[in-house]
Amino acid sequence: MTDPVNVLLIGAGEINFGSVEGPWNHTLRLEKILGSRLRVVALVDIDVSRAQAAIDAKLHSPVANSYVQCKAFTTVAEAARSLLSVTPQVAIVGAPPYARGTDIAGRDLELQLVEAFPTCALFVEKPVSSGPEDASWRVADVLAKKHTVVGVGYMLRYLKAVRMIKEIIANNGLVVMGTNARYIMAYEWARKLAWWDKTRSGGPIVEQATHFCDLSRYFGGDVHLPSVVAHTILHNEPPGALSAKQFDENLIPPESRLPRLTSATWKYEGGAVGTLTHAIALHGNTYDTEFEVYTDGYRFKLVDPYGTPKLYIRRPGITNEEIHIFTDDDPFYTELASFVDVVEGRSPQTTIASSYEDAIKTYELTWGIRRASEAAAVGYA
């Protein structure tokens, strides 16, 4: 196809434009996927100076032609008034979760977008929100009634290693027995106060470990939410002292500060058991992440899914592990390429691995873990 693809960007931060904290950078992937067909028509961010700086940087880069029509706006409504003759086909919703996922005024970006641009497909970052879960379900209902194409950025579902595990399970008729997720964060470069304030970010499970909660659900299925049990190390407990913080945590009220470690278990509705450990512990910027799936006769261990994924497989009757290393895998690229294929009619909507409704179920699990851990903390605070 040679027709241009009009893209509306929501958010001028690292999700859409990259940072030293990780591999997130949606504009970089869109530039690779669409090439000269990419036409970014607007960038919406409440900080218009930051938005303009992001546009200017692109205009002084090799992909400048894709941004020559891009203008900065502070609201979706303002962008809609300016784009009367241009219809965005895709909106990349990379604004913070407190700005979206609800029907509460000012926190309803999805509803604003479908009202302003009824035919526009939405690619929404995870988690779907930081607001009430029931409000997210009401948003889902509106999106479904308007037949809006929606994908959510749970990119780990698109990893080649994850798809290999899925294929082996399906081809051998296996039933998942359990999942075990371990996410150890490198916190030294995480300096934004909003992230360290759980009233704004949602907390480390809701905002960050959500990827591993989602991957757990991808294999274990729906979770029996009343079964969730969780414990934490709080910021003011001796094991919770962090020596490499590069910000002043005293600017955050004590009751809003993040737990340093969360350990959770739950029961899946299909009978399997899930576990998760998340810790804010490492220095530098390299995380330590692993995810395991257990079935009868098999153990799958995925290591470093955010970097160079390695999949270790133990099969029946074989003591030695089978090792697969995926050096050329970019799940951020794959998820957006799959989304664009659906938008342009080359693939069915089922190609999108994470629907809005399913992402809400992951959001419910993360809140279930947070609430269980906070309830338990009352007993030892």
Side-chain angles (χ1 to χ4, degrees):
M1 300 179 73
T2 58
D3 293 338
V5 177
N6 297 330
V7 174
L8 169 63
L9 299 175
I10 309 295
E14 62 268 17
I15 295 298
N16 283 336
F17 292 94
S19 81
V20 298
E21 290 182 40
W24 306 273
N25 192 330
H26 288 326
T27 55
L28 177 65
R29 272 69 178 204
L30 287 172
E31 290 155 12
K32 293 179 179 179
I33 293 164
L34 294 170
S36 61
R37 297 178 60 216
L38 174 63
R39 184 165 63 183
V40 180
V41 295
L43 171 57
V44 176
D45 193 286
I46 57 173
D47 185 344
V48 71
S49 61
R50 181 171 75 157
Q52 191 58 55
I55 295 170
D56 290 343
K58 291 294 186 180
L59 292 175
H60 289 86
S61 76
V63 294
N65 285 342
S66 293
Y67 295 85
V68 292
Q69 296 184 37
C70 185
K71 296 180 180 179
F73 303 98
T74 57
T75 67
V76 171
E78 184 183 348
R81 288 192 294 269
S82 178
L83 297 176
L84 294 176
S85 61
V86 179
T87 301
Q89 294 145 276
V90 173
I92 307 295
V93 188
Y98 57 76
R100 47 187 169 81
T102 80
D103 53 0
I104 302 168
R107 304 178 66 184
D108 57 349
L109 274 172
E110 295 90 347
L111 299 185
Q112 293 178 42
L113 286 164
V114 296
E115 179 68 24
F117 308 106
T119 62
C120 187
L122 307 182
F123 182 85
V124 182
E125 239 334 298
K126 62 77 200 170
V128 292
S129 184
S130 63
E133 298 100 308
D134 59 343
S136 295
W137 282 114
R138 291 193 293 272
V139 172
D141 185 57
V142 172
L143 296 175
K145 288 178 178 177
K146 290 183 176 291
H147 304 289
T148 304
V149 175
V150 187
V152 180
Y154 283 113
M155 76 286 178
L156 296 184
R157 293 189 178 206
Y158 295 85
L159 283 170
K160 293 177 182 178
V162 167
R163 295 186 172 187
M164 177 179 283
I165 299 172
K166 278 282 189 179
E167 288 174 3
I168 293 172
I169 290 173
N171 292 342
N172 291 276
L174 304 176
V175 177
V176 172
M177 185 180 294
T179 62
N180 181 26
R182 187 173 63 82
Y183 191 117
I184 314 302
M185 176 193 176
Y187 68 88
E188 188 172 358
W189 291 96
R191 302 175 181 179
K192 290 195 300 186
L193 281 179
W195 188 84
W196 289 88
D197 184 339
K198 65 182 181 182
T199 64
R200 300 176 67 186
S201 67
I205 304 301
V206 173
E207 197 280 333
Q208 189 176 73
T210 183
H211 278 297
F212 271 24
C213 290
D214 185 73
L215 203 55
S216 299
R217 287 189 53 258
Y218 196 43
F219 286 97
D222 289 342
V223 174
H224 180 58
L225 291 175
S227 72
V228 175
V229 177
H231 293 280
T232 56
I233 294 174
L234 301 178
H235 70 93
N236 57 351
E237 295 184 282
L242 301 179
S243 63
K245 291 182 295 183
Q246 302 293 322
F247 68 100
D248 183 2
E249 196 172 19
N250 290 323
L251 296 173
I252 301 171
E255 66 275 11
S256 301
R257 296 175 194 171
L258 301 187
R260 306 322 197 198
L261 184 146
T262 303
S263 177
T265 61
W266 58 84
K267 185 82 169 175
Y268 293 104
E269 291 184 356
V273 171
T275 65
L276 167 73
T277 298
H278 178 281
I280 302 172
L282 299 178
H283 298 180
N285 60 3
T286 302
Y287 291 27
D288 185 353
T289 53
E290 292 186 0
F291 177 77
E292 293 181 308
V293 180
Y294 313 119
T295 72
D296 182 28
Y298 290 79
R299 194 244 21 219
F300 306 92
K301 181 168 72 173
L302 173 61
V303 177
D304 193 21
Y306 295 90
T308 301
K310 303 176 184 64
L311 177 59
Y312 299 83
I313 303 174
R314 172 82 179 266
R315 295 179 184 264
I318 303 174
T319 303
N320 294 330
E321 288 183 320
E322 178 181 315
I323 304 174
H324 301 267
I325 302 174
F326 301 85
T327 58
D328 59 347
D329 196 9
D330 181 357
F332 294 94
Y333 178 96
T334 306
E335 70 174 352
L336 280 175
S338 300
F339 184 73
V340 169
D341 282 345
V342 172
V343 172
E344 297 203 289
R346 291 188 294 272
S347 297
Q349 197 157 336
T350 53
T351 304
I352 297 172
S354 181
S355 69
Y356 196 82
E357 293 84 353
D358 193 69
I360 297 175
K361 293 182 180 181
T362 292
Y363 186 53
E364 289 179 321
L365 172 59
T366 61
W367 266 104
I369 294 171
R370 174 176 163 175
R371 291 188 180 111
S373 69
E374 290 177 341
V378 172
Y380 52 75

